[in-house]
Amino acid sequence: MTAQMKLGAFLWATGHHIAAWRHPKAHVMAGIDIDHYIQLARTAEAAKFDMIFCEDAAGLREANVGIASQTSRSIGFEPISLLSALAVRTSHIGLVSTASTSYNEPYGLSRTFLSLDHLSGGRAGWNLVTSASPIEAANFGSTGLKPHADRYERAREFAEVVTGLWHGKAPGHHGQSFSVRDPLDLPRSPQGAPVMVQAGASDVGRDLAARTADVVFTAAQTFEEAKAFYDDLKERMAAYGREPDDIKIMPGVSPVVAETEAEAREKHEELQELIPDDVGVALLSSYLSISDLWRYPIDGPLPELPESEGMKSRQALVVEQSRRDGLSIRQLARHFAGARGHWRIVGTAAQVADELQARFEGGAADGFNVMPSYFPGELDAFATLVVPELQRRGLFRREYEGRTLRDHLGLRRPA
Amino acid sequence: MHLAISLNIAAAKGQAVLDFGEIKTFVRAAEAAGIDMVVISDSAEGLSSSPFEATTLLASLATVTDKIGLVASASTVAHQPYNLARRFASLDIISHGRAGWHATMAQGPREAANFSRPEGFSDTDFRRSEEYIGIVQGLWQGWDADALLFDKTGGRFHDPEKMHLLDHKGEFFSVRGPLNVARSPQDAPVLVLSGLTEADFDIAARTADVILLESGTAESAKTRFDDLRRRATAAGRDPDAVKVLTNISFAPDDEPAASMDRLETQLRAKSCDGFNIQLPAQHSALDDFADRVLPALRQRGLVREGYRGATLRSHLGLAGGGDQ
């Protein structure tokens, strides 16, 4: 049997497209409807996805209330409670939630994820992020946003304490940011330890991932970017005594798929038309970590930008794309609004499968985190059109190999 | 009369722990009997073990029950107020308005040692607790009940006028808000307080929906109940907006009839609004309660025949429950 790719179903509110909620077939009340999520989880499980993936932020996405009110992203479920609810309504699929090291304590967070792991019979994972948003910072005291390097130093210490606790150690830890005396009062994980996921793509982010991650979620537009990231990260692992296979690299992909290419293009265009200009520009501004992008002519080029303390790696990606394709602010805003800087494929099941196969077999990905444009329609489309095509090609499982998330991902069980 | 069951899922090391199926079966039995709510806590002072943390367990239980109120204990040391408010607001939506937060005013030294507070607690902690509770309750009011418009064609997801910043700047915390979780189906999750000292009575009378009190003599219970109602009135609240439940436990060899007499006497004396039955997380205790005590409660008419409303506030007769 040839190697098979891993697939995550990235569930997010009404959909990953910024205007998803306005689509006639999108479930607009997703953020207050638990039954909707139970249905999505079951769709993903029936299609044999490795895991469900949830993002998180401890605050609004958008500071401008006028812009925020034109998107569906200001309200939603807190993901750990959401996944705990899904845990007992599913049987196989992995459940991965994002949580920030900036505004949590390692003892409490490790305990919560271990509980999710027990509730699900060994299917939990934690996506470690550091918080770069000043909106979040304002909900946790007035100290303001910490510099990038400091956030990662705290994250490194946090991850070290959590891993120790999950491995049953009594940490007796007295570090720079945390002090933890006791071992956890929960039994060991059914899968040895919950799966550790990371998404930071900056230099320090990559080092942290190479040292501690089991899965890495990334954003890469082109094959070359994806391949360069993949090779770099796998190479860094050796320094920490780890094998390349110990990390599964899963770039985000935002497919728009239909029976014919024309239908897929039409579906994509329909979504793009629903993006108000002010919303698109605001979203682009937040990725670039600058607040006054609206001052520049919308049909002109992107201005020169200072280096930010926010998401360094993603900013570089956006700027590079704009220069490469000669895009105006409006064009770039629309382009990024759709897939949030992730890779987008518009086409038939065979075309989508071709692209995924090329990156998988070309050594640029171990799998993909699928980011449907709107829910439930686009998850259904991927499950019913693309998954069977991948299975026919022998690129994706027809049945789960085991019961835990580590089983699905083919990850070593920690001693 | 209102009845709660407190279940501490922490079991002494070496003892068998309850699995999810057993807890689910028990909570469903309590639901079939018409109990207002179960209050789940997950920690003990000494070394203990259970596979679950209370808020995550509550989320799971919410999807396998329909009516019963579900309250989880969560510490003001273990969570930042914004995160705790989010977790419970989310649990409330998952349970369709049946969630509550149990905050204990008594702080455990174990928490200090594991949550980066090696210096322990200080005399100002009661002020910190009150500020914390105020932030959480304030965040729960950040979205008006009719704030979400869902207007696809008009492009208006919500009405920005109906979303409110908290803008809290206090002695211990600074929180801008708003919460990124929608308004509760029961107006706000229910706040349950316990572990009160005399000094905490005013805070409780100002903020709590339910107060759990240690049992004492009938006279002292009556005195505390009247005292709390007076303080609630002084704080500008309807005294009936705070429900006072007295903690009781049943020993396995208690005669159910004698226990029921005890409860009825206290109720007649108007020394509380109901009871909080404390159970250890042991198979035998759960079985005993379901087999002997629940039927006796029903026989005396001490629990309601079925639920009239759908939310925890409605079960408790509190405003905002959706059926007032």
Side-chain angles (χ1 to χ4, degrees), chain A residues 23 26 57 84 105 115 139 182, chain B residues 53 56 60 114 116 152 157 177 180:
Chain A
H23 193 276
S84 303
E105 284 280 326
S115 178
N139 290 327
D182 300 317
Chain B
E53 176 274 342
T56 43
S60 292
N114 293 320
S116 308
K152 286 185 178 185
F157 187 82
N180 55 1

Side-chain angles (χ1 to χ4, degrees), chain A residues 106-128:
Chain A
Y107 192 86
L109 196 74
S110 61
R111 194 168 182 268
T112 305
F113 273 101
L114 190 50
S115 178
L116 174 61
D117 209 26
H118 282 290
L119 285 166
S120 62
R123 297 184 280 132
W126 169 38
N127 177 38
L128 177 160

Side-chain angles (χ1 to χ4, degrees), chain B residues 272-289:
Chain B
C272 60
D273 294 300
F275 300 94
N276 172 43
I277 302 162
Q278 295 175 301
L279 290 179
Q282 291 161 4
H283 306 261
S284 58
L286 297 193
D287 290 347
D288 181 64
F289 184 79

Side-chain angles (χ1 to χ4, degrees), chain B residues 186-236:
Chain B
Q186 58 171 341
D187 191 52
V190 168
L191 174 66
V192 180
L193 290 183
S194 74
L196 307 189
T197 64
E198 194 78 19
D200 303 320
F201 269 35
D202 274 329
I203 301 177
R206 280 197 290 269
T207 61
D209 297 305
V210 178
I211 295 171
L212 308 179
L213 286 185
E214 294 305 322
S215 61
T217 63
E219 298 77 56
S220 73
K222 171 82 180 144
T223 310
R224 286 178 306 168
F225 184 54
D226 292 342
D227 182 25
L228 279 167
R229 289 176 64 87
R230 249 193 322 273
R231 291 180 199 236
T233 309

Side-chain angles (χ1 to χ4, degrees), chain A residues 44-375:
Chain A
E45 186 167 81
K48 316 297 176 197
F49 274 84
D50 291 78
M51 61 190 179
I52 287 166
F53 182 93
C54 290
E55 58 79 67
D56 188 39
L60 298 185
R61 306 280 164 180
E62 170 57 56
N64 180 322
V65 291
I67 299 290
S69 70
Q70 298 180 69
T71 78
S72 66
R73 293 178 179 174
S74 297
I75 58 110
F77 290 96
E78 180 277 325
I80 294 174
S81 46
L82 174 64
L83 292 182
S84 303
L86 298 180
V88 296
R89 304 296 294 271
T90 53
S91 59
H92 283 79
I93 196 161
L95 304 165
V96 177
S97 173
T98 300
S100 169
T101 56
S102 302
Y103 308 118
N104 282 293
E105 284 280 326
Y107 192 86
L109 196 74
S110 61
R111 194 168 182 268
T112 305
F113 273 101
L114 190 50
S115 178
L116 174 61
D117 209 26
H118 282 290
L119 285 166
S120 62
R123 297 184 280 132
W126 169 38
N127 177 38
L128 177 160
V129 298
T130 71
S131 297
S133 149
I135 303 176
E136 291 179 275
N139 290 327
F140 298 90
S142 48
T143 48
L145 201 55
K146 299 261 193 318
H148 191 265
D150 292 1
R151 282 191 281 120
Y152 268 91
E153 183 45 36
R154 180 181 162 105
R156 193 200 53 73
E157 186 185 338
F158 198 117
E160 184 186 308
V161 176
V162 168
T163 309
L165 288 167
W166 281 344
H167 290 191
K169 299 202 179 85
H173 177 91
H174 296 283
Q176 186 83 21
S177 302
F178 309 108
S179 129
V180 181
R181 184 188 66 192
D182 300 317
L184 286 177
D185 51 354
L186 272 65
R188 273 296 290 270
S189 155
Q191 56 177 338
V195 169
M196 181 82 94
V197 184
Q198 280 176 48
S202 66
D203 192 52
V204 280
R206 290 180 195 205
D207 267 334
L208 183 62
R211 185 202 285 241
T212 58
D214 299 308
V215 173
V216 170
F217 175 42
T218 88
Q221 297 272 338
T222 65
F223 177 88
E224 290 69 30
E225 280 168 42
K227 175 81 180 150
F229 177 84
Y230 187 97
D231 291 343
D232 176 66
L233 188 63
K234 298 256 172 170
E235 201 179 297
R236 288 176 194 236
M237 294 173 68
Y240 302 103
R242 305 182 71 200
E243 299 293 324
D245 254 7
D246 293 345
I247 292 183
K248 307 299 171 191
I249 298 177
M250 300 173 67
V253 58
S254 193
V256 179
V257 60
E259 297 282 359
T260 67
E261 189 180 336
E263 275 177 75
R265 297 210 169 280
E266 199 177 312
K267 192 151 71 170
H268 181 237
E269 211 33 56
E270 192 183 358
L271 279 163
Q272 295 294 85
E273 289 298 318
L274 293 171
I275 306 172
D277 281 336
D278 53 351
V279 172
V281 172
L283 194 73
L284 185 60
S285 306
S286 87
Y287 280 121
L288 297 177
S289 302
I290 55 163
S291 52
D292 63 348
L293 196 55
W294 57 271
R295 288 176 195 278
Y296 297 90
I298 192 164
D299 289 313
L302 203 59
E304 290 299 327
L305 300 167
E307 187 165 291
S308 78
E309 274 302 332
M311 292 189 176
K312 288 189 167 179
S313 42
R314 193 159 286 179
Q315 180 188 37
L317 240 156
V318 173
V319 174
E320 191 186 320
Q321 166 119 22
S322 133
R323 308 273 184 257
R324 187 175 65 225
D325 299 346
L327 299 176
S328 69
I329 290 175
R330 190 203 308 267
Q331 287 169 321
L332 191 65
R334 282 209 169 175
H335 185 82
F336 272 87
R340 303 194 299 134
H342 285 275
W343 178 35
R344 180 166 32 208
I345 314 170
V346 181
T348 63
Q351 288 171 319
V352 172
D354 284 346
E355 299 253 8
L356 298 181
Q357 183 169 7
R359 290 208 186 178
F360 177 65
E361 291 180 343
D366 296 312
F368 303 95
N369 205 3
V370 179
M371 305 166 65
S373 302
Y374 64 86
F375 291 108

Side-chain angles (χ1 to χ4, degrees), chain B residues 157-169:
Chain B
F157 187 82
H158 69 258
D159 182 347
E161 301 287 310
K162 293 181 177 174
M163 180 193 88
H164 311 287
L165 295 182
L166 184 67
D167 261 336
H168 172 89
K169 287 191 177 61

